[in-house]
Amino acid sequence: MPRVGFLSPRDPAWLTTLDAMDQELVSDSLVYRYDPAASPDGLRGSEGTFNLCSFLYVEALARSGRLHQARYAFDKMLTYANHVGLFAEEIGPSGEQLGNFPQAFTHLALVAAAMALDEQLDEAETRPGAGAGRPRPPTRGGEAGG
């Protein structure tokens, strides 16, 4: 909803929705499209987490200001790419890629998530007293900070 301008990414109504998604559809930062137990689809087998949804979730977390959670989810998703960085449609229970491969919509969501996370980390870096941004590069003396 924030992506299309219906609500602000930090609107309390959206944050409540994001919290509900966390409780119902997110498992260790990976996102299911729906809960098959609540809405049986009649298909045999189990549904994996849906990569497009997981990257959209990263984008939503980043824009809502939940940068640590967004960064964790993004970094975790990157571990599921194949050896050349491509993703399938879903991630199965033991981490295998399932469904259409490569999945173009997943890669579009990956780019959008990366851009949103980058933008929000940059903003956090420039806010006074913000510690959620990127680690500072080392100075000439090799020491971090200042």
Side-chain angles (χ1 to χ4, degrees), residues 35-116:
D35 178 0
S39 302
D41 57 16
L43 300 174
R44 291 183 305 159
S46 61
E47 172 95 356
T49 56
F50 205 63
N51 294 333
L52 171 105
C53 294
S54 295
F55 282 122
L56 291 175
Y57 176 66
V58 168
E59 182 181 354
L61 289 170
R63 294 194 187 285
S64 71
R66 298 177 181 183
L67 294 179
H68 290 296
Q69 197 177 355
R71 200 165 181 178
Y72 173 82
F74 187 75
D75 288 345
K76 180 152 182 113
M77 278 301 298
L78 295 181
T79 69
Y80 290 103
N82 76 355
H83 66 288
V84 293
L86 297 176
F87 290 89
E89 190 172 24
E90 298 178 34
I91 297 171
S94 59
E96 72 275 19
Q97 296 208 40
L98 302 173
N100 296 322
F101 181 87
Q103 175 50 255
F105 293 123
T106 294
H107 296 93
L108 291 173
L110 161 65
V111 170
M115 290 175 62

Side-chain angles (χ1 to χ4, degrees), residues 103-129:
Q103 175 50 255
F105 293 123
T106 294
H107 296 93
L108 291 173
L110 161 65
V111 170
M115 290 175 62
L117 185 54
D118 182 63
E119 177 184 307
Q120 295 303 312
L121 287 169
D122 282 348
E123 279 185 29
E125 224 175 54
T126 61
R127 275 182 283 205

